[in-house]
Each structure stands twice: as C-alpha cells, then as structure tokens.
C-alpha cells in the first residue's frame, strides 16, 4: 500500500500552513493586540478559537467526507448545498479573499518602493495574478512548488519577525480600548472572522485531499489521516504566528498610536526594529504569504467552478485571475469595509455546518437536524450582518433588542440544535432502502 514519506508529509503540512497564511492572517492580529493592550491574552484566546481552532475542525470534517463541499452539505439537499458552496467560493475567490491578497501584499511590500498610485496597483496586481495563475494551472505540483520551495523561505522570514516581536518589543502593553475593555475574548473571536480561515478551510479541504491523491494515496483512511496531520501542523504554525503578532501589536502603541490598520503597525515596527532592511523582510513575508494563499484559493475555486459549470479547469482559473485583477484595484480599505458585514453574516452558517458535520454520527436523520439549525444560523447571521453594515434602522425593533456584538446568533442556534436533536431522537430512524436480490 502506497504511503507518504515523512518529508512528504511535512511538506504537505507546510503547504497547508502556507495556504492558510494569507493577507488577513498578517494584518489583523496586530490590530487585535493594539486594541486589547493589557487584555491581549484574553483577546488572543478568542482569536485563536476562530483563527486556528475552527479551521482545524473544518479540515477534519472535510477529510472525513473526502474533502468536498458537496459531501459536507449533502444533508440539506443538492440545491441548498450548491447555493451555499457558490456563496462561499465567490467570497473566497473573485469577490473578497483572493483580491485582498494582492492589495495587502502591494500596500505592505511594494507600495513603499513603487508608490501608492492606482497605476502602480494595477501593474502590480496584473503581474501578481499572472504568477498566481501560472502556479494554479498545475495543482498536482502544489506540494513541490509551495510545500518544498516557497514555504521554507516564508517560515524562515516569519521566525525572524516573530522572534523579534517577542524578544525586542517596541514598548510595554498599554491600556485596552473600545470594546476590548469590556469583552476582549468576544472581540478577539469576532476579529478571527477577518482571517477567513474557516471559510478558506472549506475550500482548501479538497486541495489538500487532492494533493494527497496525486501522491498515489488511494486508501481513504490514509487520506483522512494525512489531511488531519497536515491540519495540525498548519494549526501549530498559525497559532505561533498569531500569538507573536498580537504581542507585537500590544507593545507597539508608542510607535504606531491609534493605528487604523495592521499595515501601519507592522511597517512602523519593522522600521523601528530593523531599520531600512525591515521593509525588505516585511515584503518577503507578506508577498510569499499572500501568494501561496492566492494560489490555493484560485486552485480550489477553479476545481469547484469547473466541475459545476462543466468548463475546462484552466479556462476557469484564467477567468478567476482576471476577475481578481479588477476587484483588487478597488483598494484594500474598500475591500475590508465591504467584507466585514459579509463575513459576520456567513460565518455563523459555516460554524454551524462544521459542528453538525463533526457530530453527524449522533443523528438518525441528518436532514432533520441540519435544515433547521442552518436556517436559523443564516437568519441571525444576516441580522448581525445588517447591524455591522449600519442598517439596524431597517430592522424591526424586537430584532434590534437581541444581543449584538456579532454573537447574536449563538444562543438561537444552540437552542435550535438542542430542539432539533431531541426531535431527531424521538422520531424513528428512516427505513433502509430495499434492495432486491
């Protein structure tokens, strides 16, 4: 029986880590640290729950069903599953996540050298996505191209930056501000949405499993085991990156007071600590992190849409890349402003889907549990999204009286899960289909 060698398994883990470590993973942890200040530990705990724990659980859930969204959403029916998959892949692909990798890497890595003009951004994004498309056209080479070549360089640069953040802080942790004064753990949990890692895991699951299959591993048990090991390696790496960057933000108030983005915090820190060479270090970290994530997202979206639309994979990859060039030229601030409410709306649905899938062995009839729980998660996610977008005046008064802060969905979803599970246990199991001999 074909198995993976240790070095190939490590490379798979590195590839998985690199797929997850993208734009949001770099720019949001410093903002969490600066906002939380003295409460950075509590905020980091919340951030790790959604930024590390949930993606790992998603990888496990997908590995158990073979890596595909179709299998994960099968209990709600083909049409509903297709709508959910389409929504998630559009968010991860041409609408938000993938274009954001280009804008972040431009703002942090190249704008200091090229300038911030729209022309410079267009030239950069065109070259960037040409490279992304070139790597994505050969998904069978992802372990070699990303896991063995690009990721070791990325990890080395991250080690230097992370070690400096811990050993050479710019100052002392200051007083928390805003909502971090009252609920740092909840705020950290919600900021973890912005990494898009849990949504990314829904797409990367099939990329990881396909990479294992391309190595000749046909046994489904081994595929699941290797995917979980890769997820654990990625989770450990992400956790270390997040903790160091949150610490960096918490101790950088003196050099980047009241910063509006993590971009400013990081650029000020590397300039303060490393001098001119710091800009080069940051450019390497950001460019490689964003590039590997973009390749993974485009590959996953290409596989999904080519199957759904029955079009050649490479043609779909090129179309996605061209669309990403157009969207990325809207600028980083605009993408973050629009994506915030969208993520608040879709994350409850994604979390509920993963939890239900992991508990699938408990249900007599999965549809009796999945359908009501996901419907309630979507409803209350949309309510929270409307609040996040500033549209609360459009909502009925009784909805505005519900708990907010982006977590208004949790209690209704939990209550629906309990009721649906009780209903499922009290009803008889579906009769097995009769198969004539």
């Amino acid at each position: 029986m074909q198995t993976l060698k240790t070095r190939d398994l490590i490379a798979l883990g590195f590839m998985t880590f690199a797929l997850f470590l993208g734009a949001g993973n770099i720019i949001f942890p410093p903002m969490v640290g600066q906002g939380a200040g003295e409460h950075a530990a509590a905020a980091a705990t919340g951030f790790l729950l959604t930024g590390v724990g949930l993606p790992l659980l998603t990888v496990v859930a997908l590995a158990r069903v073979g890596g595909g969204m179709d299998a994960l959403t099968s209990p709600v029916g083909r049409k509903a599953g297709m709508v959910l998959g389409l929504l998630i892949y559009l968010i991860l692909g041409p609408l938000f996540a993938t274009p954001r990798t280009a804008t972040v890497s431009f703002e942090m890595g190249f704008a200091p050298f090229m300038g911030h003009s729209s022309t410079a951004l267009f030239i950069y994004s065109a070259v960037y996505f040409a490279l992304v498309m070139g790597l994505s056209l050969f998904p069978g080479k992802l372990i070699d191209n990303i896991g063995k070549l690009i990721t070791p360089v990325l990890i080395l640069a991250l080690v230097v930056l992370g070690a400096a953040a811990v050993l050479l802080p710019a100052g002392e942790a200051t007083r928390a501000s805003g909502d971090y004064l009252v609920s740092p753990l909840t705020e950290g949990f919600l900021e973890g949405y912005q990494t898009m890692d849990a949504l990314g895991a829904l797409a990367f699951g099939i990329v990881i499993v396909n990479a294992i299959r391309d190595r000749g591993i046909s046994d489904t048990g081994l595929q699941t085991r290797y995917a979980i090991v890769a997820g654990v390696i990625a989770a450990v790496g992400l956790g270390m990156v997040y903790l160091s960057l949150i610490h960096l933000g918490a101790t950088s108030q003196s050099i980047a007071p009241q910063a509006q983005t993590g971009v400013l915090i990081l650029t000020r820190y590397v300039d303060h600590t490393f001098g001119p060479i710091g800009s080069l270090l940051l450019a390497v970290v950001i460019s490689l992190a964003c590039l590997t994530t973009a390749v993974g997202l485009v590959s996953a979206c290409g596989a999904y849409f080519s199957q759904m639309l029955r079009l050649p994979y490479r043609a779909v990859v090129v179309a996605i890349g061209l669309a990403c060039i157009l969207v990325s030229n809207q600028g980083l601030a605009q993408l973050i402003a629009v994506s915030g409410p969208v993520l608040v709306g879709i994350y409850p649905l994604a979390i509920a889907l993963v939890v239900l899938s992991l508990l699938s062995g408990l249900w007599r009839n999965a549809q009796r549990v999945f359908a009501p729980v996901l419907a309630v998660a979507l409803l209350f996610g949309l309510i929270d999204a409307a609040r996040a977008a500033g549209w609360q005046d459009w909502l009925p008064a009784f909805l505005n009286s519900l708990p907010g802060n982006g977590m208004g969905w949790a209690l209704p979803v939990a209550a629906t899960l309990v009721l649906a599970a009780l209903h499922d246990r009290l009803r008889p199991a579906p009769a097995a289909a009769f198969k004539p001999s």
Side-chain angles (χ1 to χ4, degrees):
M1 181 172 60
Q2 181 73 18
T3 60
L4 285 181
K5 297 179 180 179
T6 301
R7 66 173 180 270
D8 289 329
L9 185 56
I10 293 173
L12 178 68
F14 281 5
M15 181 199 79
T16 306
F17 168 75
L19 293 180
F20 279 112
L21 189 73
N25 311 75
I26 302 294
I27 64 174
F28 289 108
M31 287 298 296
V32 171
Q34 186 168 101
E38 59 191 339
H39 300 316
T45 300
F47 193 89
L48 291 177
L49 287 175
T50 44
V52 176
L54 189 56
L56 176 58
L57 291 178
T58 305
V59 170
V60 172
L62 283 166
R64 291 174 60 193
V65 299
M69 272 284 291
D70 292 344
L72 202 65
T73 59
S74 60
V76 296
R78 182 175 177 274
K79 291 184 178 179
M82 182 179 296
V83 171
L84 177 58
L86 180 64
L87 180 61
I88 289 175
Y89 275 98
L90 285 175
I91 291 172
L92 293 172
L95 294 186
F96 297 116
T98 308
R100 192 177 71 179
T101 65
T103 56
V104 169
S105 58
F106 171 76
E107 290 287 343
M108 297 184 68
F110 289 84
F113 308 105
M114 301 173 62
H116 294 269
S117 69
S118 57
T119 302
L121 175 58
F122 178 78
I123 294 173
Y124 173 81
S125 62
V127 174
Y128 175 90
F129 281 111
L131 182 56
V132 168
M133 286 185 280
L135 291 170
S136 301
L137 290 175
F138 305 97
K141 297 291 186 180
L142 287 182
I143 291 181
D144 291 328
N145 292 335
I146 294 180
K148 293 183 178 179
L149 297 179
I150 299 177
T151 310
V153 179
L154 172 61
I155 290 176
L156 178 61
L158 283 169
V159 167
V160 173
L161 180 60
V166 175
L167 300 176
L168 301 172
E172 298 292 331
T174 55
R175 181 172 170 77
S177 60
D179 292 330
Y180 286 103
L181 282 167
V182 180
S183 52
L185 189 144
T186 299
E187 286 304 304
F189 185 92
L190 294 175
E191 281 298 316
Y193 286 2
Q194 291 284 357
T195 66
M196 298 193 195
D197 280 346
L199 297 183
L202 290 171
F204 293 148
I206 192 62
V207 176
I208 296 167
V209 172
N210 283 342
I212 296 170
R213 289 171 180 162
D214 287 336
R215 292 287 170 164
I217 309 300
S218 57
D219 182 78
T220 55
L222 277 180
Q223 291 173 4
T224 300
R225 186 190 310 169
Y226 290 149
I228 292 173
V229 171
V232 170
I233 293 173
V236 171
L238 288 172
M240 294 175 66
V241 170
Y242 292 155
L243 289 174
S244 63
L245 291 180
I246 289 172
H247 181 74
L248 184 153
T251 55
S252 296
Q253 183 66 250
S254 61
I255 59 173
Q258 299 179 335
Q260 298 300 309
T261 67
V263 174
L264 179 61
I265 297 173
L266 284 167
T267 52
R268 291 279 180 86
Y269 176 79
V270 296
D271 183 65
H272 171 269
T273 305
F274 298 102
I277 198 174
S279 297
L280 180 59
L281 172 65
L282 194 59
V284 171
V285 170
I286 296 300
S287 300
L288 293 181
C290 291
L291 177 67
T292 52
T293 296
V295 171
L297 289 173
V298 170
S299 298
C301 291
Y304 180 81
F305 287 117
S306 64
Q307 182 179 8
M308 185 181 73
L309 301 175
R310 302 183 187 279
L311 293 173
Y313 168 80
R314 293 186 176 183
V316 174
V317 164
V318 172
I320 293 172
L322 294 176
C324 288
I325 293 174
L326 296 177
V327 175
S328 65
N329 278 269
Q330 302 304 308
L332 179 59
Q334 181 67 18
L335 286 176
I336 291 176
V338 174
S339 65
V342 173
L343 294 176
V344 169
I346 195 66
Y347 249 87
L349 192 63
I351 293 173
L353 177 64
V354 171
V355 171
L356 290 174
S357 179
L358 290 172
L359 298 176
S360 59
L362 300 177
W363 320 129
R364 290 184 171 185
N365 184 335
Q367 187 174 21
R368 290 197 293 237
V369 181
F370 273 67
V373 172
L374 293 182
V376 171
L378 176 60
L379 173 62
F380 283 89
L382 292 176
I383 293 171
D384 284 342
R387 290 173 174 176
W391 298 346
Q392 57 267 26
D393 293 341
W394 294 12
L395 297 173
F398 76 93
L399 291 179
N400 277 320
S401 66
L402 295 173
N405 296 325
M407 293 296 293
W409 60 273
L411 185 58
V413 169
T416 304
L417 175 58
V418 171
L419 293 175
L422 288 173
H423 173 71
D424 177 61
R425 299 308 297 178
L426 294 174
R427 292 283 302 276
F434 175 72
K435 295 182 180 180
S437 58

